[in-house]
Amino acid sequence: MEQEILPDFLVIDDDPINNMICNRMIQLTLSGSTVKTFTDPGKGLEHIQIKYTADDAAKAILFLDINMPSMTGWDVLDKFQNFPDHLKKKVKIFMLSSSVDPQDIDRAGSSELVTGYITKSLSQDKLQSAYSDYVTRN
């Protein structure tokens, strides 16, 4: 039986504790996954541009916070929109936010770049659901 190739996992959130929780949850739920966390959205975007531009680059799931001081999740999406199409196809974005504001949820749902919306904190069930959604779309 062929072993499933897991995507990379990326977390962009200004809260280091949430990043630690996400990292641990991903490692526990999908053992062997590569997880990279960023508290600086600019550094996260830079990493994505460098790592996922090549045609043979891995695929990734990005958990993106909305409310960050230096650059919001919406700002990150605006910059991501300008990336090449082949890169955008490799990175599936899930908004991961403490916001339950219907406007945020609707805005995420209407964005072609956003695969799903998850309220914090990331649990095994939420991660499994996001991963299943990722698998069905690839």
Side-chain angles (χ1 to χ4, degrees):
M1 183 173 172
E2 188 177 321
Q3 184 170 357
E4 186 175 1
I5 297 173
L6 293 171
D8 293 344
F9 287 88
L10 308 168
V11 183
I12 298 177
D13 190 327
D14 63 308
D15 180 0
I17 293 171
N18 182 66
N19 290 348
M20 184 181 67
I21 290 168
C22 288
N23 187 5
R24 186 78 178 128
M25 191 57 58
I26 293 164
Q27 292 298 336
L28 286 172
T29 308
L30 297 165
S31 180
S33 296
T34 300
V35 183
K36 194 105 169 105
T37 62
F38 301 90
T39 54
D40 178 336
K43 290 198 184 314
L45 282 169
E46 190 177 299
H47 173 79
I48 290 168
Q49 278 185 291
I50 293 167
K51 176 132 186 181
Y52 300 98
T53 298
D55 289 337
D56 62 346
K59 293 187 176 187
I61 292 176
L62 168 60
F63 293 115
L64 177 62
D65 187 24
I66 293 175
N67 298 311
M68 297 180 283
S70 63
M71 184 186 301
T72 70
W74 307 122
D75 296 333
V76 170
L77 286 177
D78 288 344
K79 292 188 180 306
F80 190 84
Q81 179 66 47
N82 295 321
F83 287 178
D85 286 341
H86 70 277
L87 185 152
K88 288 189 280 192
K89 289 177 183 166
K90 290 182 185 299
V91 181
K92 300 297 180 204
I93 301 172
F94 289 83
M95 301 307 278
L96 178 65
S97 179
S98 56
S99 173
V100 291
D101 183 335
Q103 286 184 313
D104 283 338
I105 296 167
D106 289 345
R107 186 173 177 187
S110 65
S111 172
E112 64 186 32
L113 298 174
V114 177
T115 302
Y117 191 95
I118 301 169
T119 53
K120 286 183 183 174
S121 62
L122 189 64
S123 65
Q124 281 190 307
D125 288 343
K126 291 174 184 176
L127 177 59
Q128 286 285 16
S129 177
Y131 180 68
S132 294
D133 198 14
Y134 162 84
V135 169
T136 59
R137 292 177 187 234
N138 277 312

